[in-house]
Amino acid sequence: MNLVRTLTCAVALLFAASAVAAAGDLPEAKTLRAWVEEMKSSERGPFVHIRWFCKDGTVLPPKAYACKPHGGGVQHGEWTDRVKLMRANGYSIANVLADLDVDAFLGRPDYKDIFNQILIEQFLISADDGWIMRKARHYRGALQDEDERAAGRRLLVGLAGAKGWIDRRFLPLRIGARLIRHGAETSSIVEIRQVSAALSNKDPGFKTLRNKIHGQPDAGDAETVRAYAEKVQDPALRGQYEGLAQSIDAVYTAAPVAEQLADFATKQKGLGALGEELRTGATRLKGADGASARFAETAKLLAEIRGGIAEVKAPEARLALLDVSLALDDEHFIAATAMRDLVKKASRRQLLSWLEESTEAIYGVGLISARQKSALEKVFADLPKSKVDLKTYKTTLEYLALVPGWGGQRLDYYFQDSIQRFSAIEPLAELFTQDQLRGSPLFFPSRVLDSLLRDANRLAGVRNELFGENVGAGLRALNPGLARGRLHLAGEEHQDFEADGIYLLPETIAELPPVAGILTAGEGNPLSHVQLLARNLGIPNVAVDETVIRKLKPGEGKTVILAVSQGGSVRLSEDTGQWKEIGGEQEQEGLLIRPDLDKLDLDVREFIPLETLRAEDSGRAVGPKAAKLGELRQHYPKAVARGLAIPFGSFRHLMDQPYADTGKSVFDWVVEQYDALEALPEGSSQRAEATEAFRRKLHEWIEGADPGTEFRARLRDAME
């Protein structure tokens, strides 16, 4: 068997070592997605009927005080058999919090994943017009709002008091306080974004206004929404637009946050030194004149709350602090919105000052760590106060441009596994991370960075070429890479995306499969959906000014080369054969990897410390990443963390396990399957179907693969 196949399987196993095999007989993902779609259109959604759930475990039909003889209880919908099967297999949908036993919940080994899925479901309910609760929201008794709020509060208080949550898991806890109802009903920037997205999905005519609300929100959006609603014929839809307008009004006309903060800091007990900081901060915020001053003060307060919340011992007070933090977050976003038009007029020093202030807010909401915050503070402190040489200026900005990626990676660290699981039944779950980022304090500094990076590229003389013409600042590199494909300029109206296509797209497009290259119309915010996709998948992406778009017309429908360098240069040219010169033999051979089999050593199974690895070890017992990290640690021991590499031999050993009842090892079974596939006619439907069946079986084995207790014990000892 080709070694590439072996290593492909081996790498996949790295991510599956701790996975738990699914329980029960669950249909394939396609069927589960169909079930979800049926729930969306069902009058009762995920429920079969209403029942009383008593504290002693008794379940009774709905009637007044049915659970009184059984120690009390709560009334809500009972799940259908399909929902019960999905929940038993790890899909936490149709969550009912009312009868949640918080202590028992926190004792479950998978409770963090379940909590994540609860948040993802709450996001979908807001962003997808109720999701599986779309019609069930009107099924009387299915959910009791008062019970859900009380239970949501118990859950959040329990998590706020649980070990590690207020420090190491601050970000997911804070997002939980945002998405889980647990007190008085409030409107928020995040809610406005989600509701506008849901309305846009129902009413395509609203898409342009949705894009404006997502990209450049302000208080005037409420009247714009009402003006749009006057032209809508459907009374129910008009009512939903009025609800959105009222939410926008509520956010922009809420009681001054400074007064809320002062009242909270005075009345809330057990805040210690943080209470005095908040009272002082409230005074500063009251005196803040103008959006820029409010921006700076709210950022500082957000950081103070995160820095001091662990010293507050009472879980209830911690949750109250999170609620205050969320209110400050909204005020910070509103101030940033008001500053948006100042970016083009501001000096470089002022823009850098705003970036420095943003660091406090980004840390305050949990998107960067204290260590990253300290590193950023050092960068700003090291900048000269007057003149800055071009190299330092550009290097500093390139470092600061990493921050949006840090925020995305932090969200991925906590949520990606849960998102990946959930997206198998609802692809919209993939937008969870994007939604959290674009409603966060990262949004404004990303725009500031865009302006500064354009300035730095202009000063550095970065050359951008469009069909042989130097176009100056009309193109800006967002993500480096090299792509060859057919150029498509139809914008958001694209119906069927081609994997080898290069597309002109708006930055607010909702869904996009992997493509060869992307041209983003507009400023190209690093937090846009298309840029997040480009960064994660290594797709070259370029921001294109409106003034340049017309110059793309000669290449429409033609095969072009898009080259985006690490240094920021962009070249878009018609393919006249230079691809072969660039790609050489690789294109002809399908980018095959040809490893040195004589060098490969699969007998090594012990964990390898990074400090013993060098670059030349790549392809022997470990891959290039581990080998090059070892080389870097040799030269920069203080800059590269200690670590261990799991050698190829460990993965090969795992594949020696027996496969099902075949009497063969997994390795031998895989070899046999590949040989059988290669014997089928290339390009035939028979071969495609057999390949998919094999892929599905291999995937199932990987998910349940277990390297064993001895492996885990050795790994634990080695890490310690």
Side-chain angles (χ1 to χ4, degrees):
M1 184 181 75
N2 188 304
L3 179 64
V4 177
R5 301 170 186 156
T6 308
L7 296 184
T8 300
C9 299
V11 171
L13 293 173
L14 173 62
F15 300 97
S18 61
V20 179
D25 297 323
L26 195 68
E28 60 182 13
K30 182 179 179 180
T31 300
L32 297 180
R33 288 194 292 271
W35 288 1
V36 167
E37 291 303 316
E38 287 180 32
M39 290 182 217
K40 292 180 184 180
S41 59
S42 169
E43 296 296 330
R44 297 186 177 186
F47 305 115
V48 63
H49 44 221
I50 308 299
R51 288 290 183 265
W52 276 97
F53 295 84
C54 307
K55 290 184 177 180
D56 65 358
T58 306
V59 179
L60 299 170
K63 69 175 185 177
Y65 310 109
C67 281
K68 188 173 183 180
H70 301 274
V74 292
Q75 179 181 275
H76 57 74
E78 182 176 10
W79 297 312
T80 65
D81 288 341
R82 286 179 174 179
V83 171
K84 291 176 181 177
L85 179 62
M86 292 177 71
R87 289 182 63 87
N89 283 274
Y91 294 108
S92 295
I93 66 170
N95 293 285
V96 179
L97 302 181
D99 49 7
L100 180 69
D101 183 331
V102 175
D103 290 336
F105 177 75
L106 296 180
R108 293 187 54 158
D110 59 348
Y111 84 97
K112 293 174 184 175
D113 174 55
I114 296 175
F115 181 71
N116 286 351
Q117 291 194 54
I118 290 172
L119 301 188
I120 294 168
E121 182 175 58
Q122 287 301 311
F123 157 70
L124 289 170
I125 287 172
S126 295
D128 190 30
D129 191 26
W131 195 51
I132 59 173
M133 298 294 294
R134 187 169 296 167
K135 292 192 173 181
R137 290 176 294 186
H138 309 294
Y139 180 30
R140 186 176 179 183
L143 291 175
Q144 304 288 347
D145 187 66
E146 185 177 348
D147 291 340
E148 290 298 298
R149 287 179 184 278
R153 185 170 190 82
R154 290 197 305 272
L155 173 59
L156 292 171
V157 167
L159 291 172
K163 183 179 179 180
W165 274 80
I166 207 63
D167 42 34
R168 293 192 301 275
R169 296 190 63 81
F170 177 83
L171 178 60
L173 177 60
R174 191 176 183 277
I175 293 174
R178 171 77 80 183
L179 296 180
I180 295 176
R181 295 170 296 164
H182 62 279
E185 190 69 84
T186 59
S187 296
S188 71
I189 298 293
V190 172
E191 177 190 338
I192 289 169
R193 287 174 44 77
Q194 292 171 351
V195 172
S196 64
L199 284 168
S200 176
N201 290 336
K202 296 170 68 174
D203 178 8
F206 186 64
K207 189 168 293 184
T208 300
L209 185 50
R210 184 282 306 267
N211 290 347
K212 195 274 178 188
I213 292 171
H214 280 213
Q216 301 183 34
D218 56 50
D221 291 336
E223 289 310 309
T224 308
V225 169
R226 289 189 174 99
Y228 178 86
E230 289 179 1
K231 305 172 186 176
V232 175
Q233 300 298 317
D234 184 349
L237 199 55
R238 279 203 307 272
Q240 292 179 50
Y241 281 121
E242 176 56 31
L244 173 60
Q246 290 176 5
S247 293
I248 296 171
D249 283 337
V251 165
Y252 286 95
T253 61
V257 174
E259 294 180 11
Q260 298 178 43
L261 182 60
D263 185 61
F264 170 82
T266 301
K267 294 179 180 179
Q268 183 68 49
K269 306 299 181 184
L271 296 180
L274 180 58
E276 182 57 37
E277 290 180 359
L278 295 182
R279 283 188 286 273
T280 303
T283 301
R284 293 197 313 266
L285 191 54
K286 283 182 181 178
D289 185 17
S292 181
R294 294 198 310 277
F295 179 84
E297 292 299 341
T298 49
K300 186 175 182 179
L301 284 163
L302 284 167
E304 287 176 347
I305 289 176
R306 184 181 175 191
I309 193 171
E311 300 302 317
V312 176
K313 302 305 179 186
E316 292 84 357
R318 289 176 171 180
L319 179 57
L321 276 168
L322 290 175
D323 288 336
V324 170
S325 175
L326 293 171
L328 285 166
D329 193 358
D330 285 344
E331 180 69 12
H332 183 78
F333 194 96
I334 292 169
T337 298
M339 294 162 61
R340 185 183 62 240
D341 294 336
L342 303 178
V343 172
K344 292 182 179 179
K345 303 175 184 177
S347 66
R348 298 184 183 105
R349 177 59 62 185
Q350 180 62 73
L351 293 173
L352 286 166
S353 176
W354 287 341
L355 286 181
E356 185 173 9
E357 291 164 355
S358 293
T359 299
E360 298 277 334
I362 296 165
Y363 164 76
V365 303
L367 285 171
I368 59 174
S369 66
R371 181 179 178 182
Q372 289 169 325
K373 176 174 175 282
S374 296
L376 291 169
E377 288 171 343
K378 186 176 186 306
V379 167
F380 288 113
D382 289 346
L383 274 176
K385 299 303 179 185
S386 54
K387 292 185 178 180
V388 180
D389 64 88
L390 180 57
K391 181 179 179 181
T392 300
Y393 179 54
K394 199 167 186 303
T395 301
T396 298
L397 292 177
E398 287 169 353
Y399 182 77
L400 296 176
L402 298 174
V403 177
W406 292 353
Q409 289 164 2
R410 198 162 183 84
L411 281 163
D412 285 347
Y413 173 76
Y414 291 114
F415 290 101
Q416 189 54 41
D417 287 348
S418 303
I419 290 172
Q420 195 168 13
R421 178 190 298 274
F422 218 99
S423 62
I425 62 170
E426 177 51 80
L428 287 176
E430 293 283 358
L431 299 180
F432 178 83
T433 296
Q434 174 194 339
D435 187 75
Q436 298 305 313
L437 287 173
R438 288 179 63 84
S440 78
L442 271 169
F443 191 62
F444 176 71
S446 294
R447 289 183 175 274
V448 173
L449 270 169
D450 179 82
S451 177
L452 286 169
L453 285 166
R454 287 171 182 266
D455 177 56
N457 284 340
R458 179 182 58 81
L459 293 173
V462 172
R463 178 181 174 85
N464 297 320
E465 186 177 298
L466 182 61
F467 299 124
E469 176 188 354
N470 183 7
V471 294
L475 303 171
R476 184 171 77 80
L478 291 174
N479 204 63
L482 179 67
R484 173 182 184 267
R486 192 175 302 278
L487 182 62
H488 302 269
L489 303 181
E492 197 168 5
E493 289 71 38
H494 297 296
Q495 297 298 321
D496 298 316
F497 288 93
E498 299 172 1
D500 61 350
I502 295 175
Y503 289 86
L504 175 68
L505 300 168
E507 65 179 6
T508 50
I509 189 169
E511 295 183 37
L512 177 67
V515 293
I518 301 169
L519 305 174
T520 299
E523 295 182 4
N525 194 297
L527 300 182
S528 69
H529 175 59
V530 289
Q531 173 54 12
L532 292 173
L533 175 79
R535 185 167 63 233
N536 289 338
L537 297 179
I539 300 171
N541 184 13
V542 177
V544 183
D545 287 347
E546 293 295 331
T547 55
V548 176
I549 291 178
R550 60 182 177 80
K551 297 181 180 181
L552 297 172
K553 285 290 184 183
E556 185 168 14
K558 297 179 180 178
T559 300
V560 298
I561 304 292
L562 175 62
V564 188
S565 77
Q566 292 281 358
S569 293
V570 177
R571 179 183 175 188
L572 183 67
S573 58
E574 190 173 343
D575 181 18
T576 57
Q578 70 270 45
W579 176 254
K580 291 183 180 179
E581 180 183 338
I582 297 170
E585 186 179 321
Q586 286 186 327
E587 185 188 15
Q588 298 172 14
E589 298 198 7
L591 297 173
L592 288 178
I593 299 172
R594 298 191 179 280
D596 183 352
L597 297 181
D598 293 331
K599 183 179 181 181
L600 183 67
D601 185 355
L602 295 179
D603 292 330
V604 178
R605 294 182 184 174
E606 294 302 316
F607 305 113
I608 307 172
L610 273 187
E611 49 260 35
T612 68
L613 290 171
R614 298 295 181 269
E616 61 266 20
D617 291 321
S618 176
R620 181 176 291 112
V622 297
K625 181 176 288 185
K628 291 177 181 178
L629 273 175
E631 183 76 27
L632 285 171
R633 181 163 172 79
Q634 166 72 10
H635 297 290
Y636 309 102
K638 293 183 179 179
V640 179
R642 296 175 65 196
L644 298 168
I646 302 176
F648 293 147
S650 291
F651 297 109
R652 179 64 177 81
H653 179 63
L654 185 61
M655 296 185 74
D656 286 336
Q657 293 182 357
Y659 179 73
D661 56 357
T662 61
K664 301 181 180 68
S665 69
V666 176
F667 183 87
D668 290 336
W669 172 74
V670 168
V671 172
E672 180 183 83
Q673 293 298 307
Y674 272 114
D675 289 342
L677 291 175
E678 288 175 352
L680 297 174
E682 187 172 356
S684 66
S685 60
Q686 183 185 9
R687 185 170 184 174
E689 291 170 3
T691 300
E692 172 57 22
F694 166 56
R695 184 208 60 78
R696 187 165 56 249
K697 289 179 181 178
L698 182 60
H699 185 97
E700 290 171 356
W701 177 79
I702 290 173
E703 282 195 326
D706 183 1
T709 55
E710 186 266 342
F711 175 92
R712 284 190 287 274
R714 287 194 300 111
L715 179 58
R716 186 179 298 109
D717 291 343
M719 290 293 290
E720 288 175 354

